[in-house]
Amino acid sequence: PRPGPGQEVSVKVLGALEDGGLVERDPRLSFVPGHGDVVQALELGVPTMQPGEVSFFLAAFPYGYGSPGSWRCSRREPDVPPEASLLFEVTLLEVRDDPEAQPLPPATRLCLGSQRRERGNFHFTRGDFEAALGSYRLALRALDGPATAPPGPEEEEELREQRVKCLNNCAAAELKLERRDEALASCEAVLRISPDNGRALLRRGQLLAQQGRDEEAAIDLRRALELDPANKV
């Protein structure tokens, strides 16, 4: 059967530019279609396949790496140029139920959360704020899912930091989408975890001021200024 909603797939992927240059090679890439972890060509194409099938997808740039292309920090030139079409050769290896619904080790939850957040950052950079918000929310879902064992002190601290980052990123995307009430709720969620988070205090202060709640806004903004006196905003 073809992959159903919420199921995880593993695929073998080769991605090439139109001139034949290989830019992507993964012998076993695992993801859940619809979770925003991979380029749209794979998100849309793989659910049409059956296990064992080999398919070729020619993807225009909006379904690949978009207008910016893709860069690696160690390179001066992009490994995928801006607005590049890509040809993907994809083999569907396996279909299975979504692992996130099952108890996972805390370290695995952290890894999943980080991957989802990084994918959200990719969408945010491209200006696709709806997709970015979806990825950040999926990152939070991964971080908050059932665990096979209680996290250790270091894992607990990292989970807390990851949640704060994801919630702050949610607020940023929600502001771009002009969802101010949602952005305010995200800021408040950050501050319940980290009461002196300067970014969340600044955003909440700005949002409260826009609502005419000046006294509350002033408290947040003064505290944000105490925490970061050099912040020009």
Side-chain angles (χ1 to χ4, degrees):
R2 293 179 173 84
Q7 288 190 305
E8 185 180 54
V9 299
S10 290
V11 296
K12 176 184 176 183
V13 180
L14 294 172
L17 300 170
E18 289 185 300
D19 64 7
L22 193 65
V23 294
E24 191 161 341
R25 182 199 300 269
D26 197 320
R28 193 174 184 87
L29 172 66
S30 296
F31 64 96
V32 178
H35 279 197
D37 294 330
V38 294
V39 296
Q40 282 191 299
L42 301 181
E43 290 266 11
L44 298 172
V46 171
T48 70
M49 299 174 64
Q50 294 176 314
E53 182 177 344
V54 181
S55 294
F56 292 88
F57 300 117
L58 180 60
F61 73 87
Y63 300 94
Y65 288 93
S67 297
S70 176
W71 293 71
R72 293 197 182 113
C73 295
S74 59
R75 297 180 56 161
R76 294 185 178 179
E77 298 295 328
D79 49 324
V80 177
E83 299 191 1
S85 297
L86 293 171
L87 179 65
F88 291 98
E89 177 188 316
V90 183
T91 306
L92 180 54
L93 303 172
E94 187 181 1
V95 179
R96 56 192 174 275
D97 290 336
D98 182 1
E100 285 187 33
Q102 310 300 319
L104 295 172
T108 304
R109 292 253 166 232
L110 283 165
C111 184
L112 283 170
S114 179
Q115 289 173 351
R116 302 268 189 268
R117 184 171 59 83
E118 288 174 7
R119 191 67 189 170
N121 292 344
F122 170 75
H123 291 310
F124 195 98
T125 302
R126 296 175 64 189
D128 190 345
F129 305 116
E130 193 73 59
L133 182 58
S135 291
Y136 296 143
R137 287 175 174 169
L138 285 166
L140 287 166
R141 173 186 156 185
L143 294 169
D144 293 334
T148 54
E154 290 184 5
E155 290 171 328
E156 184 62 51
E157 178 62 20
E158 191 171 350
L159 283 166
R160 189 187 72 82
E161 290 177 0
Q162 288 268 17
R163 289 188 186 101
V164 166
K165 289 178 181 178
C166 288
L167 287 164
N168 266 325
N169 289 354
C170 282
E174 287 155 351
L175 283 172
K176 290 289 188 181
L177 294 166
E178 298 187 357
R179 299 177 186 173
R180 292 181 175 82
D181 289 343
E182 292 180 22
L184 182 58
S186 294
C187 292
E188 289 174 343
V190 171
L191 293 168
R192 283 194 293 272
I193 301 170
S194 178
D196 280 339
N197 185 275
R199 183 176 297 179
L201 284 166
L202 174 59
R203 284 202 181 106
R204 188 172 73 171
Q206 292 171 319
L207 287 163
L208 290 172
Q210 290 169 11
Q211 293 180 1
R213 298 161 64 181
D214 293 343
E215 291 184 8
E216 296 171 80
I219 293 170
D220 279 354
L221 295 172
R222 286 194 189 102
R223 182 58 182 151
L225 188 60
E226 288 173 6
L227 293 166
D228 186 6
N231 190 319
K232 293 181 181 180
V233 177

